[in-house]
Amino acid sequence: MNESYILDAVRTPRGRGKAGKGALSGMHPQELLAQVLRALDGRGTFEAKDVEDVMIGCVSQVNEQGANVARNAVLAAGWPNEVPGVSLNRFCASGLQAVHFAAMAVASGALDLAVAGGVESMSRVPMGADRGGQDGGNLALRNRVFQVPQGISADLIATLEGFSRADVDRVALRSQQRAAEATARFTSSLVPVVDAQGNVVLAKDEFPRPETTAEGLAALKASFVELGAAAVGPAGETLDQIAEAAYPKAGRIQHVHTAGNSSGIVDGAGAVVLASARYVKEHGAKPRARIRSMATVGSEPLIMLTAPAPASEKALRKAGMKASDIDLWEINEAFAGVVLQTIRALGIDEDRVNVNGGSIALGHPLGATGAMLLGTALAELERTGKATALVTMCVGGGQGIATIIERI
């Protein structure tokens, strides 16, 4: 296999995902992604005319995010008509999966230059806008494989693992503190978003709460108590009862996740440029990193969120590495309990995990987050002079994804 080199990675700031309130809520998602594409083209690492495909992850592909948001963003960016675009959905891992597909195409020799990433405008196309729920409204599937909402899964994981409210709040506080420390670190990879008149509407992440305290987190109400008590089963079982019956060792589910220790709802876009060795040689490009290995796995779909560890183990095996060989870890903070479970399963040093904060502090723009995390990992490797990073995410439906990159 040929190498897949990372030439560049940029992202927008994350804006609060509230209609009419977040700074990016007035921006069409095609235009949001188009600004990332234009910024990449303007950095001198490649020419847009050379891009052979643009692969973009997006979860809620309806309304403004339907109609192939990738291709329309290419056109909105003013790139040549000859540059194609494709949209894809692997739930929360969509942006990272786009990077995987682009890296596969480059490594196979099918493409020499590709752009991959993601976009999600959660203020304009909210979660659930595509309807049908986790299983697409397929009642036959629901009778065979019942998938509870992810918040119930996260609380089930915390209960099984014995993570207390204090444990998950500690992850949240650390995320906020680290994000605050990292505010000015990666401005070179941050694309300020502008309006049609060229006025900057957002230049830095809007979601973090640097004033967060342990006392403030402890005062928040658990988010999924009422949801867990909803009677949805054929015999009137609640969501909690369905989960408890599937995992009797849990006993009664303890609801510990809150708005403060779960990922935030935000808008944003990010993209990564991947190139072959041939492109690098012929164009005198300077790679920043290479893809060392990639992996995806499936897992039990009711608990749903435990696959980052096996996905990481698979990626490590493919790279001939151990968890202790990885310098930096980006474990998506969908829920604090997911991060703690992955750390415990892999025996990772917490000081190597999410050193610049994560989605609890910064927000989780679903389809874009994977590409953003990879860009953050790359920038941190360069800042610290370290060699390797592993990015991993839990994924809806019981899946996991992991990517190992190595700095050049």
Side-chain angles (χ1 to χ4, degrees):
M1 296 288 285
N2 299 314
E3 295 280 14
S4 292
Y5 290 110
I6 300 172
L7 299 188
D8 210 352
V10 300
R11 69 171 180 92
T12 67
R14 297 169 176 90
R16 291 184 180 275
K18 293 185 177 182
K21 296 182 179 180
L24 300 181
S25 63
M27 183 74 57
H28 195 291
Q30 294 173 9
E31 297 295 333
L32 190 61
L33 178 57
Q35 293 199 26
V36 170
L37 298 180
R38 281 196 293 269
L40 276 174
D41 186 34
R43 287 159 68 92
T45 55
F46 69 99
E47 292 186 57
K49 66 178 181 62
D50 294 332
V51 175
E52 296 178 273
D53 210 348
V54 175
M55 306 178 188
I56 296 299
C58 183
V59 175
S60 297
Q61 293 187 35
V62 295
N63 304 326
E64 292 180 342
Q65 290 181 166
N68 193 352
V69 67
R71 172 59 176 169
N72 283 319
V74 168
L75 298 175
W79 280 20
N81 291 339
E82 291 74 19
V83 179
V86 61
S87 303
L88 61 97
N89 181 6
R90 196 191 284 277
F91 296 131
C92 295
S94 297
L96 195 56
Q97 184 61 59
V99 172
H100 281 201
F101 283 154
M104 292 174 194
V106 168
S108 72
L111 301 179
D112 283 316
L113 186 68
V115 172
V119 64
E120 204 81 34
S121 178
M122 301 180 75
S123 63
R124 298 173 73 96
V125 188
M127 283 190 296
D130 51 356
R131 302 186 179 180
Q134 184 75 40
D135 56 20
N138 182 349
L139 297 182
L141 172 61
R142 194 172 301 173
N143 289 332
R144 292 181 59 241
V145 181
F146 197 100
Q147 301 175 60
V148 300
Q150 290 190 8
I152 305 299
S153 297
D155 283 339
L156 173 60
I157 290 168
T159 303
L160 287 166
E161 295 283 346
F163 299 142
S164 68
R165 174 67 180 270
D167 292 332
V168 291
D169 279 352
R170 177 176 54 83
V171 173
L173 183 60
R174 183 178 63 200
S175 182
Q176 294 285 357
Q177 292 171 337
R178 289 178 171 180
E181 293 170 1
T183 298
R185 285 180 185 168
F186 308 129
T187 53
S188 63
S189 60
L190 203 61
V191 177
V193 178
V194 300
D195 61 20
Q197 290 72 45
N199 302 308
V200 174
V201 297
L202 190 63
K204 64 178 182 179
D205 292 309
E206 189 178 27
F207 192 77
R209 298 178 178 88
E211 72 282 2
T212 298
T213 64
E215 293 75 18
L217 288 168
L220 294 174
K221 179 183 177 182
S223 296
F224 306 108
V225 175
E226 292 181 6
L227 182 62
V232 299
E237 306 98 322
T238 67
L239 286 167
D240 277 359
Q241 289 170 342
I242 290 169
E244 290 161 0
Y247 288 87
K249 289 184 179 179
R252 186 173 179 83
I253 290 179
Q254 303 301 306
H255 291 286
V256 298
H257 286 95
T258 69
N261 56 43
S262 306
S263 56
I265 295 173
V266 294
D267 304 333
V272 179
V273 184
L274 295 123
S276 67
R278 178 168 55 193
Y279 184 89
V280 167
K281 181 178 180 180
E282 291 180 356
H283 294 264
K286 295 182 179 179
R288 296 170 61 186
R290 69 184 181 104
I291 303 290
R292 182 78 179 262
S293 74
M294 305 171 288
T296 52
V297 300
S299 63
E300 198 280 304
L302 187 144
I303 202 165
M304 194 178 304
L305 309 175
T306 56
S312 298
E313 289 171 334
K314 185 176 179 180
L316 289 165
R317 287 195 302 272
K318 287 178 176 290
M321 303 174 73
K322 304 183 298 295
S324 59
D325 295 328
I326 299 296
D327 296 314
L328 295 170
W329 291 78
E330 288 288 337
I331 303 171
N332 187 40
E333 294 175 352
F335 300 93
V338 172
V339 179
L340 288 175
Q341 190 272 338
T342 306
I343 288 172
R344 175 179 286 179
L346 296 173
I348 306 170
D349 179 356
E350 288 192 23
D351 290 337
R352 299 185 182 190
V353 177
N354 300 353
V355 298
N356 295 295
S359 292
I360 290 172
L362 297 165
H364 177 20
L366 303 183
T369 302
M372 290 180 165
L373 293 179
L374 190 144
T376 297
L378 173 59
E380 181 66 13
L381 288 179
E382 292 174 334
R383 186 183 77 87
T384 59
K386 293 178 179 177
T388 57
L390 191 151
V391 180
T392 187
M393 307 177 73
C394 59
V395 189
Q399 302 177 87
I401 191 168
T403 316
I404 300 175
I405 63 172
E406 183 174 33
R407 182 177 64 88
I408 295 175

